[in-house]
Amino acid sequence: MEKRRSKILYVDHKFCPGCGHGIVNRLIAEVLEEMNEDKGAICAVAVGCSSLMPDTYGVDIVQSQHGRASAVAVGLKRCRPDNMIFSYQGDGDALAIGFSETMYAAIRNENITVILINNNNFGMTGGQMSPTTLENQRTTTSPYGRDVSITGNPLDVIKLMSTLEL
Ligand SMILES: Cc1ncc(C[n+]2csc(CCOP(=O)(O)OP(=O)(O)O)c2C)c(N)n1
């Protein structure tokens, strides 16, 4: 039996073939429909591959500046407290340029959902090292593998956030 296509995904996605973004987009659409949030949900997307989402996605989406999607999501939530608000961000966006915005949204225990797609590199700009690049992982800016004696260890943001007292 063919699975019914989500109404939120009204045209094919524009991500590269084989990329996980398309799968995650579909899963979010299915969950929003299951939760009956497909009409009221508002998303803040970031700069990076997540910025391809608005072209093909049938919920209201605000395009944020690089790193600011969780801050924009917080603003949306404060204006629209009854709507389900989420951000959709890459690891470079949420954990490098936007680290402060992501952490402070967590520190304040803001009532938003941050969906962080961790591909361990800055994808859209050509695969540079990001905070979550693994030890010895080769990227365009760590061609011999990430040397943690120079860069520090990969960031485990879940571990870090789990230390917060809310
Ligand atoms: C202020 C600013 N700095 C840098 C850039 C360049 N830039 C565009 S996309 C991107 C990489 C985003 O990587 P990530 O957030 O990990 O998302 P991915 O593309 O891997 O999904 C960068 C650095 C920009 N657009 N704006």
Side-chain angles (χ1 to χ4, degrees):
M1 197 172 75
E2 198 177 324
K3 196 161 190 269
R4 186 181 59 82
R5 186 177 176 145
S6 160
K7 283 194 200 109
I8 293 174
L9 297 166
Y10 50 88
V11 282
D12 289 341
H13 69 70
K14 294 185 174 176
F15 301 109
C16 299
C19 174
H21 272 292
I23 296 167
V24 180
N25 271 209
R26 178 173 56 77
L27 293 173
I28 296 170
E30 287 176 7
V31 169
L32 288 176
E33 284 185 349
E34 269 174 38
M35 294 169 68
N36 288 323
E37 293 284 1
D38 48 318
K39 300 280 185 298
I42 310 175
C43 173
V45 290
V47 161
C49 295
S50 71
S51 63
L52 298 173
M53 186 177 175
D55 292 346
T56 61
Y57 222 68
V59 300
D60 285 338
I61 299 184
V62 179
Q63 171 74 63
S64 317
Q65 288 182 314
H66 203 3
R68 315 299 174 233
S70 54
V72 170
V74 169
L76 288 166
K77 188 69 186 175
R78 291 187 182 188
C79 296
R80 300 273 185 147
D82 297 332
N83 289 57
M84 194 272 181
I85 309 290
F86 67 103
S87 71
Y88 186 79
Q89 309 176 242
D91 49 299
D93 188 89
L95 303 180
I97 189 168
F99 181 67
S100 173
E101 282 77 2
T102 308
M103 275 311 291
Y104 270 93
I107 288 167
R108 294 191 306 265
N109 200 15
E110 298 284 354
N111 193 12
I112 60 168
T113 301
V114 173
I115 299 177
L116 201 168
I117 308 301
N118 179 14
N119 59 3
N120 303 97
N121 70 91
F122 288 85
M124 185 172 259
T125 40
Q128 293 84 6
M129 189 173 74
S130 82
T132 57
T133 296
L134 302 172
E135 184 173 4
N136 296 322
Q137 182 182 333
R138 290 171 193 262
T139 69
T140 52
T141 50
S142 58
Y144 302 109
R146 179 176 182 161
D147 181 350
V148 295
S149 70
I150 297 170
T151 65
N153 286 305
L155 175 63
D156 185 342
V157 75
I158 304 298
K159 204 170 177 184
L160 187 60
M161 285 183 178
S162 68
T163 65
L164 297 175
E165 284 181 30
L166 301 174

PDB file of all heavy atoms in Angstrom, residues 96-119:
ATOM      1  N   ALA A  96      28.034  27.057  16.266  1.00  0.00           N
ATOM      2  CA  ALA A  96      29.213  27.902  16.057  1.00  0.00           C
ATOM      3  C   ALA A  96      28.750  29.358  16.131  1.00  0.00           C
ATOM      4  O   ALA A  96      28.692  29.936  17.211  1.00  0.00           O
ATOM      5  CB  ALA A  96      29.888  27.577  14.726  1.00  0.00           C
ATOM      6  N   ILE A  97      28.298  29.908  15.013  1.00  0.00           N
ATOM      7  CA  ILE A  97      27.912  31.333  15.019  1.00  0.00           C
ATOM      8  C   ILE A  97      26.722  31.588  15.949  1.00  0.00           C
ATOM      9  O   ILE A  97      26.612  32.650  16.540  1.00  0.00           O
ATOM     10  CB  ILE A  97      27.653  31.829  13.576  1.00  0.00           C
ATOM     11  CG1 ILE A  97      27.482  33.345  13.553  1.00  0.00           C
ATOM     12  CG2 ILE A  97      26.462  31.139  12.940  1.00  0.00           C
ATOM     13  CD1 ILE A  97      27.520  33.946  12.159  1.00  0.00           C
ATOM     14  N   GLY A  98      25.863  30.602  16.109  1.00  0.00           N
ATOM     15  CA  GLY A  98      24.669  30.805  16.942  1.00  0.00           C
ATOM     16  C   GLY A  98      24.737  30.113  18.297  1.00  0.00           C
ATOM     17  O   GLY A  98      23.706  29.910  18.936  1.00  0.00           O
ATOM     18  N   PHE A  99      25.932  29.785  18.743  1.00  0.00           N
ATOM     19  CA  PHE A  99      26.057  29.042  20.009  1.00  0.00           C
ATOM     20  C   PHE A  99      25.390  29.788  21.167  1.00  0.00           C
ATOM     21  O   PHE A  99      24.659  29.195  21.969  1.00  0.00           O
ATOM     22  CB  PHE A  99      27.544  28.807  20.308  1.00  0.00           C
ATOM     23  CG  PHE A  99      27.780  28.045  21.574  1.00  0.00           C
ATOM     24  CD1 PHE A  99      27.389  26.724  21.686  1.00  0.00           C
ATOM     25  CD2 PHE A  99      28.398  28.641  22.662  1.00  0.00           C
ATOM     26  CE1 PHE A  99      27.607  26.010  22.858  1.00  0.00           C
ATOM     27  CE2 PHE A  99      28.621  27.944  23.833  1.00  0.00           C
ATOM     28  CZ  PHE A  99      28.224  26.624  23.931  1.00  0.00           C
ATOM     29  N   SER A 100      25.645  31.083  21.245  1.00  0.00           N
ATOM     30  CA  SER A 100      25.085  31.871  22.350  1.00  0.00           C
ATOM     31  C   SER A 100      23.548  31.844  22.315  1.00  0.00           C
ATOM     32  O   SER A 100      22.898  31.624  23.344  1.00  0.00           O
ATOM     33  CB  SER A 100      25.603  33.305  22.248  1.00  0.00           C
ATOM     34  OG  SER A 100      24.975  34.108  23.184  1.00  0.00           O
ATOM     35  N   GLU A 101      22.979  32.043  21.105  1.00  0.00           N
ATOM     36  CA  GLU A 101      21.512  32.049  20.985  1.00  0.00           C
ATOM     37  C   GLU A 101      20.926  30.701  21.397  1.00  0.00           C
ATOM     38  O   GLU A 101      19.909  30.633  22.095  1.00  0.00           O
ATOM     39  CB  GLU A 101      21.088  32.361  19.546  1.00  0.00           C
ATOM     40  CG  GLU A 101      21.175  33.823  19.161  1.00  0.00           C
ATOM     41  CD  GLU A 101      22.599  34.275  18.880  1.00  0.00           C
ATOM     42  OE1 GLU A 101      23.529  33.444  18.953  1.00  0.00           O
ATOM     43  OE2 GLU A 101      22.773  35.468  18.589  1.00  0.00           O
ATOM     44  N   THR A 102      21.569  29.616  20.966  1.00  0.00           N
ATOM     45  CA  THR A 102      21.068  28.279  21.280  1.00  0.00           C
ATOM     46  C   THR A 102      21.165  28.018  22.784  1.00  0.00           C
ATOM     47  O   THR A 102      20.214  27.557  23.425  1.00  0.00           O
ATOM     48  CB  THR A 102      21.886  27.211  20.515  1.00  0.00           C
ATOM     49  OG1 THR A 102      21.911  27.565  19.137  1.00  0.00           O
ATOM     50  CG2 THR A 102      21.281  25.826  20.674  1.00  0.00           C
ATOM     51  N   MET A 103      22.334  28.341  23.352  1.00  0.00           N
ATOM     52  CA  MET A 103      22.538  28.075  24.784  1.00  0.00           C
ATOM     53  C   MET A 103      21.598  28.905  25.648  1.00  0.00           C
ATOM     54  O   MET A 103      21.005  28.408  26.599  1.00  0.00           O
ATOM     55  CB  MET A 103      23.988  28.386  25.188  1.00  0.00           C
ATOM     56  CG  MET A 103      24.981  27.288  24.956  1.00  0.00           C
ATOM     57  SD  MET A 103      24.507  25.651  25.562  1.00  0.00           S
ATOM     58  CE  MET A 103      24.545  25.819  27.321  1.00  0.00           C
ATOM     59  N   TYR A 104      21.456  30.194  25.296  1.00  0.00           N
ATOM     60  CA  TYR A 104      20.621  31.040  26.152  1.00  0.00           C
ATOM     61  C   TYR A 104      19.138  30.706  26.036  1.00  0.00           C
ATOM     62  O   TYR A 104      18.392  30.871  27.001  1.00  0.00           O
ATOM     63  CB  TYR A 104      20.928  32.535  25.928  1.00  0.00           C
ATOM     64  CG  TYR A 104      22.021  32.942  26.869  1.00  0.00           C
ATOM     65  CD1 TYR A 104      23.355  32.903  26.470  1.00  0.00           C
ATOM     66  CD2 TYR A 104      21.749  33.259  28.199  1.00  0.00           C
ATOM     67  CE1 TYR A 104      24.373  33.189  27.354  1.00  0.00           C
ATOM     68  CE2 TYR A 104      22.765  33.557  29.084  1.00  0.00           C
ATOM     69  CZ  TYR A 104      24.068  33.520  28.665  1.00  0.00           C
ATOM     70  OH  TYR A 104      25.077  33.788  29.556  1.00  0.00           O
ATOM     71  N   ALA A 105      18.716  30.204  24.884  1.00  0.00           N
ATOM     72  CA  ALA A 105      17.325  29.733  24.793  1.00  0.00           C
ATOM     73  C   ALA A 105      17.142  28.566  25.763  1.00  0.00           C
ATOM     74  O   ALA A 105      16.114  28.462  26.445  1.00  0.00           O
ATOM     75  CB  ALA A 105      17.008  29.306  23.363  1.00  0.00           C
ATOM     76  N   ALA A 106      18.175  27.706  25.861  1.00  0.00           N
ATOM     77  CA  ALA A 106      18.097  26.572  26.789  1.00  0.00           C
ATOM     78  C   ALA A 106      18.213  27.037  28.239  1.00  0.00           C
ATOM     79  O   ALA A 106      17.470  26.575  29.108  1.00  0.00           O
ATOM     80  CB  ALA A 106      19.201  25.563  26.464  1.00  0.00           C
ATOM     81  N   ILE A 107      19.135  27.972  28.483  1.00  0.00           N
ATOM     82  CA  ILE A 107      19.332  28.472  29.855  1.00  0.00           C
ATOM     83  C   ILE A 107      18.036  29.102  30.388  1.00  0.00           C
ATOM     84  O   ILE A 107      17.667  28.926  31.533  1.00  0.00           O
ATOM     85  CB  ILE A 107      20.507  29.485  29.890  1.00  0.00           C
ATOM     86  CG1 ILE A 107      21.830  28.741  29.701  1.00  0.00           C
ATOM     87  CG2 ILE A 107      20.520  30.293  31.196  1.00  0.00           C
ATOM     88  CD1 ILE A 107      23.032  29.631  29.409  1.00  0.00           C
ATOM     89  N   ARG A 108      17.321  29.804  29.504  1.00  0.00           N
ATOM     90  CA  ARG A 108      16.054  30.423  29.925  1.00  0.00           C
ATOM     91  C   ARG A 108      14.892  29.444  29.841  1.00  0.00           C
ATOM     92  O   ARG A 108      13.765  29.791  30.163  1.00  0.00           O
ATOM     93  CB  ARG A 108      15.757  31.656  29.043  1.00  0.00           C
ATOM     94  CG  ARG A 108      16.750  32.793  29.212  1.00  0.00           C
ATOM     95  CD  ARG A 108      16.235  34.047  28.519  1.00  0.00           C
ATOM     96  NE  ARG A 108      15.900  33.788  27.126  1.00  0.00           N
ATOM     97  CZ  ARG A 108      16.709  33.993  26.097  1.00  0.00           C
ATOM     98  NH1 ARG A 108      17.915  34.487  26.292  1.00  0.00           N
ATOM     99  NH2 ARG A 108      16.338  33.716  24.873  1.00  0.00           N
ATOM    100  N   ASN A 109      15.178  28.218  29.416  1.00  0.00           N
ATOM    101  CA  ASN A 109      14.147  27.181  29.297  1.00  0.00           C
ATOM    102  C   ASN A 109      12.956  27.665  28.456  1.00  0.00           C
ATOM    103  O   ASN A 109      11.795  27.504  28.827  1.00  0.00           O
ATOM    104  CB  ASN A 109      13.672  26.727  30.685  1.00  0.00           C
ATOM    105  CG  ASN A 109      13.001  25.367  30.643  1.00  0.00           C
ATOM    106  OD1 ASN A 109      13.113  24.636  29.656  1.00  0.00           O
ATOM    107  ND2 ASN A 109      12.293  25.025  31.703  1.00  0.00           N
ATOM    108  N   GLU A 110      13.304  28.286  27.316  1.00  0.00           N
ATOM    109  CA  GLU A 110      12.270  28.823  26.429  1.00  0.00           C
ATOM    110  C   GLU A 110      11.396  27.683  25.888  1.00  0.00           C
ATOM    111  O   GLU A 110      11.881  26.581  25.640  1.00  0.00           O
ATOM    112  CB  GLU A 110      12.919  29.565  25.251  1.00  0.00           C
ATOM    113  CG  GLU A 110      13.751  30.761  25.642  1.00  0.00           C
ATOM    114  CD  GLU A 110      12.933  31.983  26.027  1.00  0.00           C
ATOM    115  OE1 GLU A 110      11.690  31.956  25.894  1.00  0.00           O
ATOM    116  OE2 GLU A 110      13.546  32.971  26.457  1.00  0.00           O
ATOM    117  N   ASN A 111      10.128  28.000  25.685  1.00  0.00           N
ATOM    118  CA  ASN A 111       9.171  26.970  25.268  1.00  0.00           C
ATOM    119  C   ASN A 111       9.147  26.817  23.731  1.00  0.00           C
ATOM    120  O   ASN A 111       8.124  27.032  23.076  1.00  0.00           O
ATOM    121  CB  ASN A 111       7.791  27.334  25.815  1.00  0.00           C
ATOM    122  CG  ASN A 111       6.829  26.184  25.704  1.00  0.00           C
ATOM    123  OD1 ASN A 111       7.229  25.049  25.429  1.00  0.00           O
ATOM    124  ND2 ASN A 111       5.555  26.473  25.884  1.00  0.00           N
ATOM    125  N   ILE A 112      10.316  26.512  23.177  1.00  0.00           N
ATOM    126  CA  ILE A 112      10.435  26.275  21.739  1.00  0.00           C
ATOM    127  C   ILE A 112      11.116  24.917  21.520  1.00  0.00           C
ATOM    128  O   ILE A 112      11.711  24.365  22.448  1.00  0.00           O
ATOM    129  CB  ILE A 112      11.274  27.365  21.026  1.00  0.00           C
ATOM    130  CG1 ILE A 112      12.708  27.415  21.617  1.00  0.00           C
ATOM    131  CG2 ILE A 112      10.588  28.720  21.114  1.00  0.00           C
ATOM    132  CD1 ILE A 112      13.683  28.248  20.808  1.00  0.00           C
ATOM    133  N   THR A 113      11.009  24.425  20.294  1.00  0.00           N
ATOM    134  CA  THR A 113      11.725  23.185  19.946  1.00  0.00           C
ATOM    135  C   THR A 113      12.813  23.537  18.935  1.00  0.00           C
ATOM    136  O   THR A 113      12.536  24.181  17.921  1.00  0.00           O
ATOM    137  CB  THR A 113      10.748  22.175  19.296  1.00  0.00           C
ATOM    138  OG1 THR A 113       9.704  21.911  20.226  1.00  0.00           O
ATOM    139  CG2 THR A 113      11.456  20.871  18.937  1.00  0.00           C
ATOM    140  N   VAL A 114      14.040  23.170  19.250  1.00  0.00           N
ATOM    141  CA  VAL A 114      15.146  23.394  18.316  1.00  0.00           C
ATOM    142  C   VAL A 114      15.484  22.057  17.663  1.00  0.00           C
ATOM    143  O   VAL A 114      15.851  21.104  18.340  1.00  0.00           O
ATOM    144  CB  VAL A 114      16.386  23.968  19.042  1.00  0.00           C
ATOM    145  CG1 VAL A 114      17.586  24.032  18.097  1.00  0.00           C
ATOM    146  CG2 VAL A 114      16.080  25.342  19.615  1.00  0.00           C
ATOM    147  N   ILE A 115      15.317  21.994  16.352  1.00  0.00           N
ATOM    148  CA  ILE A 115      15.677  20.769  15.618  1.00  0.00           C
ATOM    149  C   ILE A 115      17.026  21.030  14.957  1.00  0.00           C
ATOM    150  O   ILE A 115      17.154  21.882  14.081  1.00  0.00           O
ATOM    151  CB  ILE A 115      14.591  20.397  14.588  1.00  0.00           C
ATOM    152  CG1 ILE A 115      13.284  20.134  15.348  1.00  0.00           C
ATOM    153  CG2 ILE A 115      15.011  19.179  13.769  1.00  0.00           C
ATOM    154  CD1 ILE A 115      12.102  19.818  14.477  1.00  0.00           C
ATOM    155  N   LEU A 116      18.021  20.317  15.456  1.00  0.00           N
ATOM    156  CA  LEU A 116      19.398  20.566  15.034  1.00  0.00           C
ATOM    157  C   LEU A 116      19.873  19.409  14.158  1.00  0.00           C
ATOM    158  O   LEU A 116      19.971  18.277  14.617  1.00  0.00           O
ATOM    159  CB  LEU A 116      20.269  20.681  16.292  1.00  0.00           C
ATOM    160  CG  LEU A 116      21.606  21.399  16.184  1.00  0.00           C
ATOM    161  CD1 LEU A 116      22.164  21.671  17.560  1.00  0.00           C
ATOM    162  CD2 LEU A 116      22.613  20.664  15.352  1.00  0.00           C
ATOM    163  N   ILE A 117      20.132  19.697  12.905  1.00  0.00           N
ATOM    164  CA  ILE A 117      20.595  18.657  11.973  1.00  0.00           C
ATOM    165  C   ILE A 117      22.124  18.671  11.975  1.00  0.00           C
ATOM    166  O   ILE A 117      22.754  19.565  11.415  1.00  0.00           O
ATOM    167  CB  ILE A 117      20.047  18.924  10.545  1.00  0.00           C
ATOM    168  CG1 ILE A 117      18.523  19.120  10.576  1.00  0.00           C
ATOM    169  CG2 ILE A 117      20.432  17.784   9.605  1.00  0.00           C
ATOM    170  CD1 ILE A 117      17.738  17.958  11.132  1.00  0.00           C
ATOM    171  N   ASN A 118      22.672  17.676  12.652  1.00  0.00           N
ATOM    172  CA  ASN A 118      24.119  17.636  12.857  1.00  0.00           C
ATOM    173  C   ASN A 118      24.788  16.755  11.789  1.00  0.00           C
ATOM    174  O   ASN A 118      24.778  15.537  11.903  1.00  0.00           O
ATOM    175  CB  ASN A 118      24.410  17.097  14.263  1.00  0.00           C
ATOM    176  CG  ASN A 118      25.888  17.007  14.533  1.00  0.00           C
ATOM    177  OD1 ASN A 118      26.693  17.578  13.789  1.00  0.00           O
ATOM    178  ND2 ASN A 118      26.253  16.302  15.585  1.00  0.00           N
ATOM    179  N   ASN A 119      25.348  17.401  10.765  1.00  0.00           N
ATOM    180  CA  ASN A 119      26.088  16.623   9.757  1.00  0.00           C
ATOM    181  C   ASN A 119      27.593  16.762   9.957  1.00  0.00           C
ATOM    182  O   ASN A 119      28.378  16.452   9.068  1.00  0.00           O
ATOM    183  CB  ASN A 119      25.669  17.020   8.326  1.00  0.00           C
ATOM    184  CG  ASN A 119      25.897  18.490   8.047  1.00  0.00           C
ATOM    185  OD1 ASN A 119      26.426  19.211   8.887  1.00  0.00           O
ATOM    186  ND2 ASN A 119      25.520  18.939   6.865  1.00  0.00           N
TER     187      ASN A 119
END
